[in-house]
Amino acid sequence: MDNNQAKKASLTKMKTVALSVLGLAVICFFVANHYKIGWLKAFSEAAMVGGIADWFAVVALFKHPLGIPIPHTALIPNNKDAIGQNLGTFVSDEFLIKEKLELKLDEFDFASKATSWLQEEKNADTIATLVVENIIQGVLKTIDDADVKNFIQKQFEEKLQEMNFGEWIAIGLESLSKSDKQEQLITNVLAILATELETNKAEIREKVKKATPWYTLGVADKKIADGVFNGLYEFLLMAKEPESAIRKKINLYVLNFIEELKNSPEMQQKITSLIIEFTQKEEVQNYIGSIWQELKSAITDDLDKGKDSKIKENLANMIRNFGINVQNDVVMTNKINNFLKVDVLGVLLRNKKAIGDLIATSVQSWDKKEIAEKLELEVGKDLQFIRINGTVVGGFVGLVIYFVEHFI
């Protein structure tokens, strides 16, 4: 049973009680007439008059009694426009007053109540569920994958255009050159080259053999190959020596390259263009575009886990932690309350007439029958006590009049 049905059942029950009390007065009237009981007759007559009069008064608020269009009945539906206007004026003039609103806002302490509410696990989970089911999943279903991929690729390219990779590399190499790590790096590179040269000795011989003229009949192949290999190997060994002339030339070349890279916009642009050109390759573009698809799949798979969703769990924890942190932060709670007190209060006061007009127009737009039914549903139950009291009090008044008439 929903709220309206419960209210209807309660109203019907109270109407039955009020009618039963009036019916009891009618029974008493017939009994009094039959047995000639004077005081009971006086009581029942006054009770019937009081009950019927109050029934008429209550019914006349919402509709015409017995459907008869008696003047000054159905007061609420016939005067709904005036009621709406008066209600709007009353709210704007009596409630939207700076002093009253400030006092209420100070008493309410919205920040503390809101943060305490957020700290409760049930409330945080409810918010997290709403965000996951209605916002995140809604966004994932709405957006177009192709548009997102194009957006990511475009943003990636624009960010690369803004970066000066040449300058970054120059700064990194300059920092490296000022430490002993540069010497160690060059030594390691030369050692790797020497190792590779030794490993590929047979391949070098084969390439030399293919390049040698056929009429040598292979006699010079081995000598030429060994000469090339030994020359390169000796060069690398010499270059590994820190004080060798070759090593000094390599170091000087590195320093000149760093200096040129640091001071030459043309060189820096070449490096940047080279990197951007690399990112334009189809394989790289496909990889960049696949980032969104992988991210979307990961999010969707997690959300499909329902209560076990890590996103939902982390979101709920974040909400609870936010409530705890804000509540423990006096400065933040004061800022929130001051925001309500200053900004929200200012908005309400600046628009108090508009708020009153909104209430008035809203009430005026309601259907006459609808507003009567709504109000009767809200207050009709309590109004039935008027009928009951009218019947009972009327009866006792009649009884008092009877005793006054006969004994005084």
Side-chain angles (χ1 to χ4, degrees):
M1 181 182 293
D2 60 24
N3 193 37
N4 279 342
Q5 290 177 327
K7 288 179 179 179
K8 286 180 180 180
S10 182
L11 176 60
T12 302
K13 180 180 178 181
M14 286 306 302
K15 283 183 176 181
T16 302
V17 172
L19 184 61
S20 298
V21 173
L22 179 60
L24 182 60
V26 173
I27 294 172
C28 289
F29 173 75
F30 285 111
V31 171
N33 274 286
H34 182 75
Y35 292 102
K36 307 299 181 184
I37 305 173
W39 65 269
L40 184 58
K41 180 180 180 182
F43 175 86
S44 59
E45 285 176 343
M48 288 189 294
V49 171
I52 293 172
D54 285 338
W55 165 82
F56 183 91
V58 170
V59 173
L61 288 172
F62 304 104
K63 51 191 173 183
H64 297 299
L66 302 176
I68 302 172
I70 302 171
H72 302 294
T73 58
L75 297 176
I76 290 176
N78 287 336
N79 295 279
K80 72 177 182 68
D81 291 350
I83 292 172
Q85 188 62 51
N86 291 334
L87 181 60
T89 302
F90 178 74
V91 170
S92 62
D93 292 347
E94 298 298 329
F95 285 94
L96 300 180
I97 299 174
K98 183 178 180 180
E99 292 76 14
K100 290 185 178 180
L101 290 174
E102 284 182 339
L103 183 62
K104 290 298 181 184
L105 287 174
D106 287 337
E107 293 175 353
F108 185 64
D109 190 8
F110 173 81
S112 296
K113 287 182 170 59
T115 51
S116 296
W117 188 85
L118 290 175
Q119 290 176 48
E120 295 183 18
E121 184 175 353
K122 178 182 177 183
N123 298 329
D125 288 345
T126 299
I127 297 175
T129 301
L130 289 174
V131 172
V132 166
E133 294 180 353
N134 297 292
I135 298 179
I136 297 179
Q137 290 188 350
V139 170
L140 292 177
K141 292 177 181 177
T142 302
I143 57 179
D144 184 82
D145 291 344
D147 291 341
V148 176
K149 290 179 181 178
N150 292 334
F151 175 79
I152 293 174
Q153 291 170 346
K154 183 179 179 181
Q155 291 298 312
F156 184 74
E157 183 177 343
E158 289 179 356
K159 292 300 179 184
L160 289 180
Q161 294 285 357
E162 296 173 2
M163 297 177 182
N164 190 338
F165 290 99
E167 185 178 11
W168 289 7
I169 293 173
I171 293 173
L173 291 176
E174 185 177 33
S175 176
L176 186 65
S177 68
K178 293 178 180 178
S179 67
D180 57 357
K181 292 182 179 179
Q182 176 187 324
E183 294 293 334
Q184 185 63 45
L185 179 62
I186 293 175
T187 300
N188 292 340
V189 171
L190 292 172
I192 292 172
L193 291 175
T195 302
E196 289 297 316
L197 186 64
E198 182 71 30
T199 303
N200 295 282
K201 187 175 182 179
E203 188 175 347
I204 293 173
R205 285 176 175 172
E206 185 65 28
K207 288 185 179 295
V208 171
K209 181 179 179 181
K210 290 181 179 179
T212 304
W214 63 272
Y215 52 79
T216 62
L217 302 176
V219 175
D221 293 351
K222 187 175 183 302
K223 289 185 176 181
I224 295 174
D226 289 342
V228 172
F229 174 81
N230 292 333
L232 288 173
Y233 195 76
E234 183 178 350
F235 174 84
L236 293 175
L237 290 177
M238 291 175 63
K240 286 172 63 178
E241 297 297 327
E243 299 300 325
S244 68
I246 297 174
R247 182 61 171 265
K248 290 179 179 179
K249 287 182 180 181
I250 293 174
N251 288 336
L252 181 61
Y253 173 79
V254 172
L255 292 175
N256 290 337
F257 176 77
I258 293 173
E259 194 65 25
E260 182 180 4
L261 189 57
K262 186 170 64 173
N263 299 312
S264 172
E266 293 80 6
M267 180 70 74
Q268 293 173 3
Q269 184 59 44
K270 285 181 180 179
I271 299 278
T272 302
S273 298
L274 185 64
I275 293 175
I276 293 175
E277 183 180 349
F278 171 75
T279 62
Q280 297 301 317
K281 292 183 177 295
E282 184 179 356
E283 296 84 355
V284 179
Q285 287 291 306
N286 289 337
Y287 173 75
I288 296 172
S290 68
I291 293 175
W292 162 246
Q293 198 61 48
E294 292 177 5
L295 178 62
K296 180 180 178 181
S297 297
I299 295 174
T300 303
D301 292 342
D302 181 79
L303 297 182
D304 288 340
K305 296 178 182 178
K307 293 182 179 180
D308 297 327
S309 168
K310 290 295 182 183
I311 294 176
K312 179 183 173 182
E313 180 183 345
N314 292 333
L315 184 59
N317 290 333
M318 183 179 70
I319 293 170
R320 285 195 295 273
N321 290 332
F322 174 78
I324 294 171
N325 293 334
V326 172
Q327 191 172 60
N328 294 332
D329 190 336
V330 178
V331 175
M332 182 60 71
T333 54
N334 287 336
K335 283 184 178 181
I336 294 173
N337 286 330
N338 286 334
F339 166 76
L340 290 174
K341 187 174 181 179
V342 177
D343 295 346
V344 175
L345 182 60
V347 171
L348 290 175
L349 293 177
R350 286 193 300 270
N351 296 280
K352 58 185 297 183
K353 186 178 184 305
I355 295 172
D357 292 341
L358 176 64
I359 294 173
T361 53
S362 296
V363 174
Q364 291 167 2
S365 66
W366 292 347
D367 179 77
K368 289 183 177 182
K369 183 179 179 182
E370 181 184 5
I371 189 174
E373 291 176 349
K374 284 181 179 293
L375 289 176
E376 185 178 16
L377 205 59
E378 295 297 328
V379 301
K381 174 185 173 182
D382 295 326
L383 291 178
Q384 301 310 308
F385 285 103
I386 295 177
R387 294 175 55 189
I388 296 171
N389 293 336
T391 304
V392 176
V393 172
F396 280 107
V397 170
L399 196 59
V400 170
I401 294 173
Y402 173 82
F403 283 113
V404 168
E405 181 182 356
H406 286 77
F407 296 103
I408 297 179

